[in-house]
Amino acid sequence: MRAPAMRPIALVLALCSMAAACVTQPEPCTPEWVEWKTDRVLDRFADAHRGTVRDLREVSGRIENPSVLTAIRIASLAADSKDLVRDFNEIVMPELNDAIAQCGRPQEFVPAFTGFLRREGVGEDVIDWIEAFGVFLEMQQTS
């Protein structure tokens, strides 16, 4: 009778050890760890901003010659894009910088905001627009 009772426990332990193996982090400060850490931070950020990223992806390819509806949509994305950039700088960059500090030497992080947008499938035309919009906002703040 003991053998059948042990099977579920053994199965649970086996599944737990397999799950732990899947989520264990690589050794810190190795190239694998840098990639793992960057992916985790960017994945969380993308999940938290899924709607805005989706909207930016959807207007990709329409910036050069937008329809009236697309132009209105782009205008409404301006505030969301500003918030996205702010959150990236306030959330993602400190997390990645903390990870770099943990290693005690510079690592190969490429946390650029435009790199994040490319990773999420946002088109170059939208990325160019966001960069130009960011320059415009900076000029407005210094005036």
PDB file of all heavy atoms in Angstrom, residues 17-41:
ATOM      1  N   SER A  17      11.277  19.683  -9.389  1.00  0.00           N
ATOM      2  CA  SER A  17      12.694  19.798  -9.745  1.00  0.00           C
ATOM      3  C   SER A  17      12.846  20.167 -11.213  1.00  0.00           C
ATOM      4  O   SER A  17      13.742  20.922 -11.574  1.00  0.00           O
ATOM      5  CB  SER A  17      13.452  18.515  -9.415  1.00  0.00           C
ATOM      6  OG  SER A  17      13.123  17.487 -10.315  1.00  0.00           O
ATOM      7  N   MET A  18      11.963  19.664 -12.073  1.00  0.00           N
ATOM      8  CA  MET A  18      12.025  20.039 -13.496  1.00  0.00           C
ATOM      9  C   MET A  18      11.671  21.512 -13.659  1.00  0.00           C
ATOM     10  O   MET A  18      12.309  22.230 -14.419  1.00  0.00           O
ATOM     11  CB  MET A  18      11.075  19.178 -14.328  1.00  0.00           C
ATOM     12  CG  MET A  18      11.574  17.776 -14.511  1.00  0.00           C
ATOM     13  SD  MET A  18      10.568  16.679 -15.554  1.00  0.00           S
ATOM     14  CE  MET A  18       9.072  17.497 -15.860  1.00  0.00           C
ATOM     15  N   ALA A  19      10.667  21.978 -12.949  1.00  0.00           N
ATOM     16  CA  ALA A  19      10.276  23.383 -13.045  1.00  0.00           C
ATOM     17  C   ALA A  19      11.384  24.282 -12.523  1.00  0.00           C
ATOM     18  O   ALA A  19      11.667  25.326 -13.102  1.00  0.00           O
ATOM     19  CB  ALA A  19       8.985  23.622 -12.268  1.00  0.00           C
ATOM     20  N   ALA A  20      12.024  23.881 -11.455  1.00  0.00           N
ATOM     21  CA  ALA A  20      13.120  24.673 -10.895  1.00  0.00           C
ATOM     22  C   ALA A  20      14.269  24.764 -11.880  1.00  0.00           C
ATOM     23  O   ALA A  20      14.900  25.806 -12.015  1.00  0.00           O
ATOM     24  CB  ALA A  20      13.587  24.072  -9.576  1.00  0.00           C
ATOM     25  N   ALA A  21      14.532  23.667 -12.590  1.00  0.00           N
ATOM     26  CA  ALA A  21      15.607  23.681 -13.574  1.00  0.00           C
ATOM     27  C   ALA A  21      15.292  24.642 -14.711  1.00  0.00           C
ATOM     28  O   ALA A  21      16.179  25.257 -15.278  1.00  0.00           O
ATOM     29  CB  ALA A  21      15.840  22.274 -14.117  1.00  0.00           C
ATOM     30  N   CYS A  22      14.027  24.785 -15.031  1.00  0.00           N
ATOM     31  CA  CYS A  22      13.626  25.664 -16.130  1.00  0.00           C
ATOM     32  C   CYS A  22      13.736  27.141 -15.756  1.00  0.00           C
ATOM     33  O   CYS A  22      13.916  27.968 -16.624  1.00  0.00           O
ATOM     34  CB  CYS A  22      12.196  25.363 -16.555  1.00  0.00           C
ATOM     35  SG  CYS A  22      12.019  23.750 -17.319  1.00  0.00           S
ATOM     36  N   VAL A  23      13.587  27.471 -14.487  1.00  0.00           N
ATOM     37  CA  VAL A  23      13.572  28.871 -14.098  1.00  0.00           C
ATOM     38  C   VAL A  23      14.834  29.307 -13.350  1.00  0.00           C
ATOM     39  O   VAL A  23      14.915  30.439 -12.920  1.00  0.00           O
ATOM     40  CB  VAL A  23      12.327  29.213 -13.239  1.00  0.00           C
ATOM     41  CG1 VAL A  23      11.073  29.077 -14.052  1.00  0.00           C
ATOM     42  CG2 VAL A  23      12.270  28.377 -11.994  1.00  0.00           C
ATOM     43  N   THR A  24      15.788  28.424 -13.166  1.00  0.00           N
ATOM     44  CA  THR A  24      17.002  28.833 -12.474  1.00  0.00           C
ATOM     45  C   THR A  24      17.789  29.783 -13.357  1.00  0.00           C
ATOM     46  O   THR A  24      17.861  29.619 -14.574  1.00  0.00           O
ATOM     47  CB  THR A  24      17.883  27.626 -12.095  1.00  0.00           C
ATOM     48  OG1 THR A  24      18.194  26.889 -13.261  1.00  0.00           O
ATOM     49  CG2 THR A  24      17.199  26.743 -11.086  1.00  0.00           C
ATOM     50  N   GLN A  25      18.351  30.758 -12.723  1.00  0.00           N
ATOM     51  CA  GLN A  25      19.103  31.731 -13.495  1.00  0.00           C
ATOM     52  C   GLN A  25      20.510  31.233 -13.758  1.00  0.00           C
ATOM     53  O   GLN A  25      21.070  30.491 -12.952  1.00  0.00           O
ATOM     54  CB  GLN A  25      19.123  33.068 -12.771  1.00  0.00           C
ATOM     55  CG  GLN A  25      20.049  33.132 -11.582  1.00  0.00           C
ATOM     56  CD  GLN A  25      20.021  34.513 -10.945  1.00  0.00           C
ATOM     57  OE1 GLN A  25      19.013  35.170 -10.912  1.00  0.00           O
ATOM     58  NE2 GLN A  25      21.153  34.936 -10.440  1.00  0.00           N
ATOM     59  N   PRO A  26      21.073  31.661 -14.871  1.00  0.00           N
ATOM     60  CA  PRO A  26      22.469  31.313 -15.142  1.00  0.00           C
ATOM     61  C   PRO A  26      23.389  31.972 -14.111  1.00  0.00           C
ATOM     62  O   PRO A  26      22.982  32.877 -13.388  1.00  0.00           O
ATOM     63  CB  PRO A  26      22.715  31.898 -16.535  1.00  0.00           C
ATOM     64  CG  PRO A  26      21.380  32.186 -17.099  1.00  0.00           C
ATOM     65  CD  PRO A  26      20.459  32.399 -15.943  1.00  0.00           C
ATOM     66  N   GLU A  27      24.619  31.538 -14.099  1.00  0.00           N
ATOM     67  CA  GLU A  27      25.588  32.123 -13.173  1.00  0.00           C
ATOM     68  C   GLU A  27      25.717  33.618 -13.465  1.00  0.00           C
ATOM     69  O   GLU A  27      25.876  34.032 -14.618  1.00  0.00           O
ATOM     70  CB  GLU A  27      26.940  31.438 -13.345  1.00  0.00           C
ATOM     71  CG  GLU A  27      27.942  31.891 -12.327  1.00  0.00           C
ATOM     72  CD  GLU A  27      29.217  31.086 -12.391  1.00  0.00           C
ATOM     73  OE1 GLU A  27      29.168  29.911 -12.788  1.00  0.00           O
ATOM     74  OE2 GLU A  27      30.253  31.658 -12.038  1.00  0.00           O
ATOM     75  N   PRO A  28      25.617  34.451 -12.419  1.00  0.00           N
ATOM     76  CA  PRO A  28      25.665  35.905 -12.619  1.00  0.00           C
ATOM     77  C   PRO A  28      26.896  36.367 -13.383  1.00  0.00           C
ATOM     78  O   PRO A  28      27.979  35.809 -13.247  1.00  0.00           O
ATOM     79  CB  PRO A  28      25.662  36.460 -11.190  1.00  0.00           C
ATOM     80  CG  PRO A  28      24.959  35.411 -10.399  1.00  0.00           C
ATOM     81  CD  PRO A  28      25.393  34.099 -11.024  1.00  0.00           C
ATOM     82  N   CYS A  29      26.677  37.394 -14.177  1.00  0.00           N
ATOM     83  CA  CYS A  29      27.703  38.119 -14.916  1.00  0.00           C
ATOM     84  C   CYS A  29      28.290  37.350 -16.097  1.00  0.00           C
ATOM     85  O   CYS A  29      29.249  37.814 -16.709  1.00  0.00           O
ATOM     86  CB  CYS A  29      28.798  38.627 -13.978  1.00  0.00           C
ATOM     87  SG  CYS A  29      28.135  39.704 -12.690  1.00  0.00           S
ATOM     88  N   THR A  30      27.732  36.210 -16.428  1.00  0.00           N
ATOM     89  CA  THR A  30      28.135  35.504 -17.643  1.00  0.00           C
ATOM     90  C   THR A  30      27.313  36.071 -18.804  1.00  0.00           C
ATOM     91  O   THR A  30      26.274  36.700 -18.583  1.00  0.00           O
ATOM     92  CB  THR A  30      27.862  33.992 -17.519  1.00  0.00           C
ATOM     93  OG1 THR A  30      26.453  33.792 -17.344  1.00  0.00           O
ATOM     94  CG2 THR A  30      28.632  33.376 -16.368  1.00  0.00           C
ATOM     95  N   PRO A  31      27.740  35.875 -20.040  1.00  0.00           N
ATOM     96  CA  PRO A  31      26.932  36.350 -21.170  1.00  0.00           C
ATOM     97  C   PRO A  31      25.507  35.779 -21.152  1.00  0.00           C
ATOM     98  O   PRO A  31      24.552  36.476 -21.500  1.00  0.00           O
ATOM     99  CB  PRO A  31      27.712  35.858 -22.394  1.00  0.00           C
ATOM    100  CG  PRO A  31      29.124  35.757 -21.920  1.00  0.00           C
ATOM    101  CD  PRO A  31      29.030  35.319 -20.478  1.00  0.00           C
ATOM    102  N   GLU A  32      25.363  34.523 -20.710  1.00  0.00           N
ATOM    103  CA  GLU A  32      24.026  33.920 -20.633  1.00  0.00           C
ATOM    104  C   GLU A  32      23.169  34.635 -19.601  1.00  0.00           C
ATOM    105  O   GLU A  32      21.984  34.848 -19.803  1.00  0.00           O
ATOM    106  CB  GLU A  32      24.122  32.430 -20.260  1.00  0.00           C
ATOM    107  CG  GLU A  32      24.806  31.578 -21.288  1.00  0.00           C
ATOM    108  CD  GLU A  32      26.344  31.666 -21.231  1.00  0.00           C
ATOM    109  OE1 GLU A  32      26.907  32.067 -20.183  1.00  0.00           O
ATOM    110  OE2 GLU A  32      26.971  31.342 -22.252  1.00  0.00           O
ATOM    111  N   TRP A  33      23.781  35.024 -18.484  1.00  0.00           N
ATOM    112  CA  TRP A  33      23.058  35.732 -17.444  1.00  0.00           C
ATOM    113  C   TRP A  33      22.622  37.113 -17.922  1.00  0.00           C
ATOM    114  O   TRP A  33      21.507  37.554 -17.647  1.00  0.00           O
ATOM    115  CB  TRP A  33      23.933  35.857 -16.193  1.00  0.00           C
ATOM    116  CG  TRP A  33      23.265  36.589 -15.068  1.00  0.00           C
ATOM    117  CD1 TRP A  33      22.390  36.080 -14.159  1.00  0.00           C
ATOM    118  CD2 TRP A  33      23.427  37.972 -14.732  1.00  0.00           C
ATOM    119  NE1 TRP A  33      21.995  37.060 -13.281  1.00  0.00           N
ATOM    120  CE2 TRP A  33      22.624  38.231 -13.611  1.00  0.00           C
ATOM    121  CE3 TRP A  33      24.180  39.007 -15.272  1.00  0.00           C
ATOM    122  CZ2 TRP A  33      22.541  39.489 -13.021  1.00  0.00           C
ATOM    123  CZ3 TRP A  33      24.101  40.259 -14.680  1.00  0.00           C
ATOM    124  CH2 TRP A  33      23.282  40.488 -13.572  1.00  0.00           C
ATOM    125  N   VAL A  34      23.516  37.804 -18.642  1.00  0.00           N
ATOM    126  CA  VAL A  34      23.194  39.131 -19.164  1.00  0.00           C
ATOM    127  C   VAL A  34      21.972  39.036 -20.074  1.00  0.00           C
ATOM    128  O   VAL A  34      21.034  39.832 -19.951  1.00  0.00           O
ATOM    129  CB  VAL A  34      24.403  39.743 -19.913  1.00  0.00           C
ATOM    130  CG1 VAL A  34      24.009  40.996 -20.671  1.00  0.00           C
ATOM    131  CG2 VAL A  34      25.540  40.023 -18.939  1.00  0.00           C
ATOM    132  N   GLU A  35      21.975  38.052 -20.962  1.00  0.00           N
ATOM    133  CA  GLU A  35      20.823  37.872 -21.861  1.00  0.00           C
ATOM    134  C   GLU A  35      19.571  37.514 -21.065  1.00  0.00           C
ATOM    135  O   GLU A  35      18.500  38.055 -21.303  1.00  0.00           O
ATOM    136  CB  GLU A  35      21.125  36.769 -22.879  1.00  0.00           C
ATOM    137  CG  GLU A  35      20.032  36.577 -23.888  1.00  0.00           C
ATOM    138  CD  GLU A  35      20.372  35.531 -24.919  1.00  0.00           C
ATOM    139  OE1 GLU A  35      21.560  35.167 -25.077  1.00  0.00           O
ATOM    140  OE2 GLU A  35      19.435  35.054 -25.577  1.00  0.00           O
ATOM    141  N   TRP A  36      19.702  36.606 -20.105  1.00  0.00           N
ATOM    142  CA  TRP A  36      18.574  36.180 -19.273  1.00  0.00           C
ATOM    143  C   TRP A  36      18.001  37.357 -18.489  1.00  0.00           C
ATOM    144  O   TRP A  36      16.787  37.579 -18.461  1.00  0.00           O
ATOM    145  CB  TRP A  36      19.046  35.077 -18.322  1.00  0.00           C
ATOM    146  CG  TRP A  36      18.030  34.642 -17.322  1.00  0.00           C
ATOM    147  CD1 TRP A  36      17.035  33.739 -17.492  1.00  0.00           C
ATOM    148  CD2 TRP A  36      17.930  35.087 -15.961  1.00  0.00           C
ATOM    149  NE1 TRP A  36      16.313  33.591 -16.334  1.00  0.00           N
ATOM    150  CE2 TRP A  36      16.849  34.408 -15.378  1.00  0.00           C
ATOM    151  CE3 TRP A  36      18.658  35.987 -15.191  1.00  0.00           C
ATOM    152  CZ2 TRP A  36      16.460  34.609 -14.062  1.00  0.00           C
ATOM    153  CZ3 TRP A  36      18.274  36.182 -13.872  1.00  0.00           C
ATOM    154  CH2 TRP A  36      17.190  35.504 -13.332  1.00  0.00           C
ATOM    155  N   LYS A  37      18.863  38.149 -17.877  1.00  0.00           N
ATOM    156  CA  LYS A  37      18.433  39.291 -17.066  1.00  0.00           C
ATOM    157  C   LYS A  37      17.751  40.340 -17.936  1.00  0.00           C
ATOM    158  O   LYS A  37      16.689  40.857 -17.581  1.00  0.00           O
ATOM    159  CB  LYS A  37      19.642  39.889 -16.336  1.00  0.00           C
ATOM    160  CG  LYS A  37      19.302  40.994 -15.380  1.00  0.00           C
ATOM    161  CD  LYS A  37      18.563  40.459 -14.193  1.00  0.00           C
ATOM    162  CE  LYS A  37      18.400  41.521 -13.134  1.00  0.00           C
ATOM    163  NZ  LYS A  37      17.627  41.051 -11.989  1.00  0.00           N
ATOM    164  N   THR A  38      18.354  40.657 -19.067  1.00  0.00           N
ATOM    165  CA  THR A  38      17.770  41.639 -19.974  1.00  0.00           C
ATOM    166  C   THR A  38      16.396  41.180 -20.439  1.00  0.00           C
ATOM    167  O   THR A  38      15.436  41.968 -20.432  1.00  0.00           O
ATOM    168  CB  THR A  38      18.695  41.874 -21.183  1.00  0.00           C
ATOM    169  OG1 THR A  38      19.975  42.308 -20.713  1.00  0.00           O
ATOM    170  CG2 THR A  38      18.121  42.918 -22.125  1.00  0.00           C
ATOM    171  N   ASP A  39      16.286  39.921 -20.843  1.00  0.00           N
ATOM    172  CA  ASP A  39      15.002  39.389 -21.306  1.00  0.00           C
ATOM    173  C   ASP A  39      13.940  39.474 -20.223  1.00  0.00           C
ATOM    174  O   ASP A  39      12.800  39.852 -20.484  1.00  0.00           O
ATOM    175  CB  ASP A  39      15.142  37.941 -21.778  1.00  0.00           C
ATOM    176  CG  ASP A  39      15.840  37.836 -23.123  1.00  0.00           C
ATOM    177  OD1 ASP A  39      15.996  38.870 -23.804  1.00  0.00           O
ATOM    178  OD2 ASP A  39      16.248  36.713 -23.481  1.00  0.00           O
ATOM    179  N   ARG A  40      14.302  39.129 -18.989  1.00  0.00           N
ATOM    180  CA  ARG A  40      13.327  39.180 -17.887  1.00  0.00           C
ATOM    181  C   ARG A  40      12.821  40.594 -17.658  1.00  0.00           C
ATOM    182  O   ARG A  40      11.634  40.827 -17.515  1.00  0.00           O
ATOM    183  CB  ARG A  40      13.942  38.636 -16.603  1.00  0.00           C
ATOM    184  CG  ARG A  40      14.044  37.130 -16.585  1.00  0.00           C
ATOM    185  CD  ARG A  40      14.526  36.661 -15.257  1.00  0.00           C
ATOM    186  NE  ARG A  40      13.745  37.317 -14.202  1.00  0.00           N
ATOM    187  CZ  ARG A  40      13.325  36.738 -13.109  1.00  0.00           C
ATOM    188  NH1 ARG A  40      13.612  35.492 -12.892  1.00  0.00           N
ATOM    189  NH2 ARG A  40      12.646  37.397 -12.201  1.00  0.00           N
ATOM    190  N   VAL A  41      13.726  41.547 -17.612  1.00  0.00           N
ATOM    191  CA  VAL A  41      13.341  42.940 -17.364  1.00  0.00           C
ATOM    192  C   VAL A  41      12.482  43.453 -18.513  1.00  0.00           C
ATOM    193  O   VAL A  41      11.424  44.060 -18.297  1.00  0.00           O
ATOM    194  CB  VAL A  41      14.600  43.816 -17.157  1.00  0.00           C
ATOM    195  CG1 VAL A  41      14.248  45.291 -17.131  1.00  0.00           C
ATOM    196  CG2 VAL A  41      15.337  43.409 -15.886  1.00  0.00           C
TER     197      VAL A  41
END
